[in-house]
Amino acid sequence: MDVVIIQVYVRIGAGCGVSKFIKLMDSPNPYPRVSITTTPSLTISGGQSATLTASGADQYQWSTGEKSRTITRAELGIYSLTGTTKGCSTTTLTTLIVIERPRIEVDARFAYIYSGNNCTAEVSLVFSGSKLTITGPQNYKSSNSWRLPQINNKGYFQLKTPGTYTVVVANAAGQTTTTTFKVENLGDCPVSNSQPVNQLNARSARLANGNLAMSLSPDRETYATGELVTVQLTGGVPGTDYNLNLYDGDPTYGASSLILSVSSAQGTGNVITWGSNPTEEFYVLFRPGTGGSGRVLEVTNDDFSDFVDSDPFDIQDCSITAKLIASSATLTCAQPSVTLTASTTGEELMYVFEGPGLLPGSLFDPSRTVDAPGIYSVTVSAGNACTTTATASVTINDERDMPANATLTGVPSATLTCSHATVTLQAQASGQGLQYIFEGPSGSLGGSSASPSREVSEAGFYSVTIVEANGCFVTANVTVEQDQPEGGADISLLASGSTVCEGTPVVVPATVSSAGAGFQWYRNGQAITGQISATLMLGSAGADDSGSYWLVVTGPCSATSTAFELMVSPQPTVVLVYPNDSRITPNGQMPTITLLASSGPYQVLGGVRFRWVTVVDRINGYEISQVEENTTGLMPVGAPGPFRLTVTSAQGCSRTVQGILVNP
């Protein structure tokens, strides 16, 4: 993180004044690395769309105005993206290319062979694409195919053989459109067994004829004025003169509109005299002012019986000039960065800076900030094949006197504990007239001062900037840890409350983070005698034990737990209603109940669930029992013998009684 210290001096009177240091800090947040991913690709066909996905930042702003992470577009253009993370932004861009599906329109109104038209049919085409191929009867196929330098081409061709012809137009993406037409013989012309006339009279299409073949190096779709291009030819006739022409857009077929320079051992200007070699090579230099789209290089003999055209290409006029200017040639402590500005001529330019200490910036901004010495360059582009480069250098002042051996430590340690609520930060460095600027998690700690120490009571990251009188500075930092929870000890109870039945033991354990502390449990605000451990223990809970309990921890990190709510539910009272002809003989815990054989069922009260178990017999240590369980409490007279009756209340508490049934 870069820090700039500025000393401000305010003059009060003659010879009197006051100074103050002001620290300017760069954002500690890193600049985001923004990128764009295009699906399915950067080149799509007409009618399709591409999804542009941004990554590398928290927030996004597209040149379309959209702010989502992904956008879907179907339009040709350059799309820029600005990504922002924690206030820091970076811009990048991408280009979406849309290739329209090829199109064909055929006018075959004159596709008839008869004596009145010299036995030659004429068919007109309107098409769009980059390559046209025609096939037909008698193995007819257009030679080398016609090259289409621009869309919306118009032209006609002549045919002497009747039959069905197929026309295929392809674009640069390889997509094709196919159509057919038919040439008919009206009967007064002999059928020709020769090849049809390969003559395309289109104003913007070319047909290779003869044996000539051409290649360009480098082979690109766009060239720039001032660029040297190598042209290689094969298949020429020795001793024959060939003309080299550059057609711009929509010339008349065969017209001479040479706007380039040629250098060749076999000729000068635009005339090439073929030698004895099977391959001839020459150079083309596109002069300024020749820019445009749909340019075609053509080489032809005088009667056009042997000619060849290049694929169409664009020429971009390069008229950009650039100069790189630095705001200063020296980096110092007081001036830790330098601004580079590209002074250019041209419109809608892009700037690519290179060098060792560039800070992030926009591709369309002619200025960049640097913070390291070295050689810097800028490449200025007009978004086409035209570029220019300018360089400038920046040197750093090596006579800076920096404070040395800077450290920042905590005394007695860099840890806050229950017994040490504050820490003294101690800065050390060697130098003259040092000033200390402390920063912490809550901001500045008193501004600039000659004192090298500060007392703090908050955990977090701390830094000190140590400034020499000449403005040079170094920084040191330390992290103050906290070995105690905020607000005292951390107390964790097993649960926030419980409901138990009368007579049940109650155990409430507590986990306390502070070692060596004292403990005291409270119920309803009153200390409980003997409950002085981290665990509350009640041997047999009674109705009087219901209430709110909490634990108080005493010591350096005192704290109070949250409340534990205890509810003690009483056991149910069991009531047995016997028939009038029954007798009950008390016998301690086993009363004897004498029932007449004709006695009906008896009623049990006091709960919501009832269970009656009668022991019928015991054999070899095993007990055979008869069980009756219901929620009505109405029990039939069972077999004589010992019994157990369990009654359960609505709160889940139960009581069991026992006795003996005897028939008279």
Side-chain angles (χ1 to χ4, degrees):
M1 181 169 60
D2 296 323
V3 183
V4 179
I5 305 299
I6 302 176
Q7 185 178 15
V8 180
Y9 181 81
V10 180
R11 184 175 180 182
I12 301 175
C16 298
V18 63
S19 65
K20 184 176 180 60
F21 287 96
I22 300 175
K23 182 172 71 170
L24 304 178
M25 302 181 66
D26 286 344
S27 169
N29 303 318
Y31 284 87
R33 297 180 180 273
V34 181
S35 62
I36 302 174
T37 302
T38 305
T39 304
S41 68
L42 286 173
T43 301
I44 60 175
S45 302
Q48 292 183 330
S49 61
T51 300
L52 280 61
T53 303
S55 61
D58 294 337
Q59 297 176 326
Y60 302 100
Q61 176 70 55
W62 295 89
S63 55
T64 60
E66 296 165 278
K67 297 183 179 181
S68 58
R69 184 169 178 267
T70 61
I71 62 173
T72 301
R73 311 301 297 178
E75 303 85 13
L76 169 71
I78 298 177
Y79 296 87
S80 67
L81 168 68
T82 299
T84 303
T85 299
K86 297 181 179 180
C88 298
S89 300
T90 303
T91 298
T92 187
L93 57 87
T94 189
T95 302
L96 186 62
I97 300 173
V98 180
I99 301 178
E100 296 295 333
R101 178 171 288 277
R103 177 175 56 87
I104 310 173
E105 296 179 10
V106 179
D107 184 358
R109 289 176 295 174
F110 305 104
Y112 301 100
I113 298 174
Y114 58 98
S115 58
N117 65 351
N118 297 320
C119 295
T120 302
E122 292 185 355
V123 176
S124 298
L125 298 179
V126 177
F127 45 84
S128 66
S130 60
K131 187 176 182 180
L132 175 70
T133 303
I134 303 177
T135 58
Q138 299 182 8
N139 297 321
Y140 168 78
K141 184 176 182 180
S142 55
S143 302
N144 296 330
S145 302
W146 284 289
R147 308 291 183 178
L148 312 178
Q150 63 182 31
I151 64 173
N152 297 327
N153 299 280
K154 297 180 180 180
Y156 68 91
F157 56 96
Q158 298 174 335
L159 300 168
K160 290 182 175 293
T161 303
T164 300
Y165 292 80
T166 301
V167 183
V168 179
V169 176
N171 61 16
Q175 295 176 311
T176 61
T177 298
T178 303
T179 189
T180 61
F181 64 88
K182 188 175 182 180
V183 175
E184 298 183 14
N185 188 350
L186 297 184
D188 57 353
C189 288
V191 176
S192 174
N193 293 322
S194 61
Q195 292 286 349
V197 177
N198 290 345
Q199 180 180 358
L200 178 66
N201 194 10
R203 295 179 57 80
S204 59
R206 293 290 177 269
L207 173 66
N209 193 38
N211 298 316
L212 280 176
M214 176 194 300
S215 64
L216 303 183
S217 179
D219 186 8
R220 296 201 301 264
E221 295 182 357
T222 302
Y223 298 97
T225 55
E227 184 173 3
L228 192 66
V229 179
T230 302
V231 180
Q232 189 178 75
L233 290 174
T234 59
V237 178
T240 302
D241 289 341
Y242 290 91
N243 297 305
L244 176 66
N245 293 300
L246 177 68
Y247 291 93
D248 52 350
D250 193 19
T252 301
Y253 180 72
S256 177
S257 55
L258 182 64
I259 46 177
L260 45 85
S261 298
V262 178
S263 175
S264 172
Q266 290 78 32
T268 59
N270 71 321
V271 179
I272 306 163
T273 302
W274 201 278
S276 59
N277 297 326
T279 300
E280 295 293 350
E281 190 173 272
F282 55 95
Y283 305 96
V284 173
L285 183 67
F286 300 124
R287 293 199 293 253
T290 62
S293 60
R295 301 295 194 250
V296 175
L297 274 176
E298 180 184 77
V299 177
T300 179
N301 59 4
D302 290 338
D303 62 0
F304 293 94
S305 62
D306 195 10
F307 64 89
V308 64
D309 287 356
S310 71
D311 287 335
F313 54 84
D314 297 339
I315 301 177
Q316 302 289 348
D317 278 321
C318 291
S319 57
I320 305 173
T321 61
K323 181 179 180 181
L324 190 58
I325 302 173
S327 60
S328 174
T330 305
L331 295 172
T332 65
C333 288
Q335 182 179 280
S337 63
V338 168
T339 299
L340 304 179
T341 302
S343 176
T344 60
T345 59
E347 298 180 355
E348 299 182 357
L349 302 179
M350 294 178 289
Y351 306 85
V352 178
F353 287 83
E354 295 185 15
L358 288 168
L359 299 182
S362 171
L363 187 65
F364 303 98
D365 190 348
S367 298
R368 291 290 289 276
T369 302
V370 302
D371 61 358
I375 303 298
Y376 292 86
S377 67
V378 61
T379 299
V380 184
S381 172
N384 47 43
C386 305
T387 59
T388 186
T389 302
T391 61
S393 63
V394 176
T395 59
I396 194 168
N397 180 7
D398 294 330
E399 298 179 356
R400 297 176 297 176
D401 185 15
M402 305 290 292
N405 305 319
T407 61
L408 181 61
T409 57
V411 179
S413 71
T415 302
L416 296 170
T417 65
C418 290
S419 58
H420 294 91
T422 62
V423 168
T424 299
L425 301 180
Q426 185 68 47
Q428 291 183 337
S430 60
Q432 300 295 325
L434 300 180
Q435 292 284 314
Y436 302 87
I437 302 174
F438 285 84
E439 297 282 343
S442 298
S444 175
L445 303 179
S448 177
S449 170
S451 173
S453 62
R454 296 288 191 279
E455 187 175 69
V456 299
S457 59
E458 181 181 5
F461 180 83
Y462 290 86
S463 67
V464 60
T465 301
I466 306 174
V467 187
E468 282 263 22
N470 63 359
C472 295
F473 61 88
V474 293
T475 60
N477 56 72
V478 68
T479 298
V480 175
E481 305 287 348
Q482 182 169 296
D483 193 22
Q484 63 178 36
E486 296 183 2
D490 185 12
I491 307 174
S492 177
L493 299 181
L494 179 64
S496 61
S498 178
T499 299
V500 300
C501 294
E502 186 178 7
T504 304
V506 176
V507 178
V508 183
T511 302
V512 183
S513 61
S514 178
F519 307 97
Q520 177 62 63
W521 283 92
Y522 287 78
R523 181 175 68 86
N524 297 335
Q526 300 295 321
I528 305 175
T529 303
Q531 299 292 343
I532 55 174
S533 69
T535 301
L536 173 66
M537 301 182 66
L538 302 177
S540 178
D544 294 339
D545 292 323
S546 296
S548 181
Y549 292 77
W550 60 84
L551 175 63
V552 174
V553 178
T554 58
C557 298
S558 61
T560 300
S561 74
T562 57
F564 178 87
E565 302 294 337
L566 178 63
M567 174 65 70
V568 180
S569 298
Q571 292 183 339
T573 299
V574 180
V575 178
L576 284 79
V577 181
Y578 293 99
N580 292 330
D581 52 358
S582 302
R583 298 196 311 272
I584 299 177
T585 304
N587 185 18
Q589 297 297 322
M590 293 285 290
T592 301
I593 304 175
T594 303
L595 299 175
L596 296 177
S598 61
S599 298
Y602 56 89
Q603 181 71 49
V604 181
L605 303 175
V608 296
R609 191 169 68 251
F610 308 89
R611 178 183 175 86
W612 178 281
V613 179
T614 301
V615 179
V616 178
D617 198 0
R618 291 184 176 93
I619 303 175
N620 296 329
Y622 294 95
E623 183 177 275
I624 301 175
S625 301
Q626 177 182 349
V627 179
E628 176 71 26
E629 186 172 2
N630 57 46
T631 58
T632 63
L634 190 63
M635 298 296 179
V637 175
F643 70 89
R644 294 187 301 273
L645 174 62
T646 301
V647 178
T648 303
S649 67
Q651 291 76 26
C653 298
S654 63
R655 182 190 296 270
T656 300
V657 298
Q658 57 187 350
I660 299 175
L661 287 180
V662 179
N663 286 331

